[in-house]
């Protein structure tokens, strides 16, 4: 692993961003979108609109360059004004054979959207620390990068050049990273977890050390010294930001790495134990069973049958499998 927890967990979650559509509009308009089964992102590339999200008290005004990220299953409405009666997105996109459409003369407004695919199990490392809704205004410090990325995404969509789909996917991945970076600037509003700990410059050095060498026998003194804090102060601040004590975080991260190795590799259990700092296979097996409810070998055997047969894959139905959504819903979701 690297000493970059942010990159580690994005890779671990298999985060993959895709641009799936967009639309233009003119005059009064409003579209109601169904609750997405993946993380949804969208941006205004021309004009402005109102965004009304199920469960939120007030609509949010989006200007050109604003970007939104919806991480939960909630329906939402995009509209030229909050009082316009919305039409159902399925009527516009389902069965149309395309991922873009036009309302009215299409001269006032332009939108681009997509979604983020995550591993149905390890993706929870990311979704569990994100709020339901993130709005990054064009006036934010990240606006310059957003403007360039959105401009490139529109160019790739319209130019139809060789490799456009691949280029769009890479640009969308950069956009997702920039949204998360913007979110890191609002650490006081973040949920307790690794992302909030990473956003705190006092705590982040310890997080980087544990990710850089997860198999090292870290002690509280080592981590506190790296953060230039006393043991007591470090332990208090780490738990307040990460939601768990430092060495508990390390143990849980080791188990995540162990789960991945057991699912994806044929490495012997004893070798996995040594790589993660355990002095014996039995010590590792006991820790793994205590934290996951299964022995390493049972976990490996079950994972080979697929996640739905593995009793240790908890709450996996909350997150859509990569092959679970229908083409029609993908079109609606991306628009």
């Amino acid at each position: 692993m690297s000493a970059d927890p942010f990159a580690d967990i994005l890779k671990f979650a298999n985060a993959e961003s895709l641009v799936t559509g967009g639309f233009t509009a003119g005059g009064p308009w409003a579209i109601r979108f169904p609750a997405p089964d993946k993380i949804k992102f969208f941006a205004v590339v021309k004009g402005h609109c109102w965004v009304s999200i199920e469960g939120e008290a007030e609509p949010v005004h989006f200007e050109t360059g604003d970007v939104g990220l919806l991480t939960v299953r909630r329906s939402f409405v995009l509209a030229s004004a909050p009082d316009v009666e919305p039409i159902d997105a399925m009527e516009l996109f389902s069965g149309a054979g395309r991922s873009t459409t036009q309302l009215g003369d299409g001269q006032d407004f332009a939108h681009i959207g997509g979604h983020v695919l995550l591993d149905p199990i390890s993706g929870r490392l990311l979704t569990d620390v994100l709020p339901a809704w993130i709005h990054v205004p064009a006036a934010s410090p990240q606006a310059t990068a957003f403007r360039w990325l959105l401009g490139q995404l529109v160019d790739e969509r319209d130019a139809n050049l060789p490799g456009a789909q691949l280029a769009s996917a890479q640009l969308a991945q950069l956009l997702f990273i920039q949204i998360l970076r913007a979110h890191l600037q609002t650490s006081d509003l973040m949920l307790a977890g690794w992302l909030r700990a990473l956003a705190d410059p006092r705590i982040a050095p310890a997080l980087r050390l544990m990710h850089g060498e997860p198999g090292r026998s870290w002690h509280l003194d080592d981590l506190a010294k790296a953060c230039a804090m006393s043991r007591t102060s470090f332990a208090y601040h780490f738990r307040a930001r990460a939601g768990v004590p430092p060495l508990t975080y390390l143990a849980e991260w080791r188990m995540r790495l162990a789960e991945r190795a057991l699912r994806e590799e044929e490495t012997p259990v004893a070798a996995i134990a040594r790589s993660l700092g355990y002095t014996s296979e039995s010590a590792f097996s006991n820790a793994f069973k205590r934290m996951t409810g299964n022995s390493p070998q049972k976990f490996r055997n079950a994972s080979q049958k697929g996640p739905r047969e593995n009793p240790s894959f908890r709450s996996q139905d909350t997150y859509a499998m990569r092959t679970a959504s229908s083409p029609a819903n993908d079109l609606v979701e991306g628009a």
Side-chain angles (χ1 to χ4, degrees):
M1 303 303 290
S2 71
D4 183 353
F6 185 84
D8 284 348
I9 292 177
L10 285 184
K11 292 176 183 176
F12 200 80
N14 288 331
E16 179 184 349
S17 306
L18 299 172
V19 174
T20 51
F23 67 91
T24 58
W29 60 271
I31 307 174
R32 181 181 299 280
F33 293 87
D37 61 359
K38 310 175 186 71
I39 291 179
K40 175 81 173 70
F41 66 84
F42 57 85
V44 175
V45 296
K46 178 182 178 182
H48 59 89
C49 73
W50 289 90
V51 182
S52 300
I53 300 172
E54 178 189 357
E56 299 294 325
E58 300 290 338
V60 181
H61 191 247
F62 267 52
E63 298 282 356
T64 302
D66 282 20
V67 179
L69 187 77
L70 183 64
T71 67
V72 295
R73 294 191 179 197
R74 296 185 186 177
S75 62
F76 61 98
V77 174
L78 305 183
S80 59
D83 58 351
V84 178
E85 185 66 24
I87 60 175
D88 192 89
M90 292 296 288
E91 296 179 13
L92 290 174
F93 296 96
S94 182
R98 62 180 188 276
S99 58
T100 60
T101 192
Q102 178 179 311
L103 288 79
D105 61 17
Q107 297 300 307
D108 301 333
F109 178 82
H111 156 285
I112 194 166
H115 57 240
V116 181
L117 299 170
L118 297 174
D119 183 276
I121 302 152
S122 58
R124 293 197 62 180
L125 278 172
L126 187 58
T127 55
D128 283 354
V129 299
L130 293 177
W133 166 243
I134 297 173
H135 173 209
V136 185
S140 71
Q142 289 75 26
T144 301
F146 283 154
R147 280 196 296 270
W148 183 85
L149 287 168
L150 293 174
Q152 292 296 114
L153 282 167
V154 171
D155 289 346
E156 291 294 339
R157 182 189 65 186
D158 295 342
N160 197 29
L161 294 172
Q165 186 174 2
L166 179 60
S168 293
Q170 298 294 326
L171 290 165
Q173 190 78 344
L174 285 174
L175 179 63
F176 180 52
I177 290 171
Q178 289 292 347
I179 293 171
L180 296 182
R181 285 175 172 173
H183 182 54
L184 280 170
Q185 305 304 312
T186 61
S187 59
D188 289 343
L189 304 176
M190 293 169 62
L191 302 171
W194 68 267
L195 194 60
R196 186 173 181 184
L198 183 61
D200 188 332
R202 299 172 299 173
I203 300 300
L207 212 63
R208 288 193 285 268
L209 286 176
M210 288 187 281
H211 277 254
E213 296 183 79
R216 180 171 169 176
S217 180
W218 291 106
H219 298 283
L220 198 60
D221 286 336
D222 302 325
L223 300 173
K225 183 178 179 180
C227 297
M229 301 171 74
S230 69
R231 279 170 51 103
T232 303
S233 180
F234 167 70
Y236 171 80
H237 286 290
F238 190 98
R239 183 166 190 164
R241 302 300 184 274
V244 293
L247 298 185
T248 300
Y249 178 90
L250 175 62
E252 290 179 350
W253 179 239
R254 286 173 170 173
M255 291 304 105
R256 295 286 188 175
L257 296 176
E259 285 178 339
R260 185 174 66 176
L262 291 166
R263 284 199 309 267
E264 300 177 4
E265 303 170 9
E266 296 299 325
T267 307
V269 172
I272 295 174
R274 287 194 300 272
S275 72
L276 295 176
Y278 289 90
T279 55
S280 68
E281 182 177 345
S282 62
F284 166 70
S285 296
N286 289 336
F288 188 91
K289 186 170 184 178
R290 184 170 62 252
M291 298 189 77
T292 69
N294 291 287
S295 69
Q297 193 58 53
K298 184 176 180 180
F299 181 94
R300 171 171 274 170
N301 293 341
S303 67
Q304 292 172 353
K305 300 175 184 177
R308 293 191 181 278
E309 286 78 25
N310 191 336
S312 65
F313 291 161
R314 292 178 290 273
S315 303
Q316 34 130 20
D317 289 332
T318 306
Y319 305 97
M321 299 292 287
R322 291 176 181 268
T323 57
S325 59
S326 69
N329 194 51
D330 278 348
L331 288 174
V332 171
E333 187 175 301

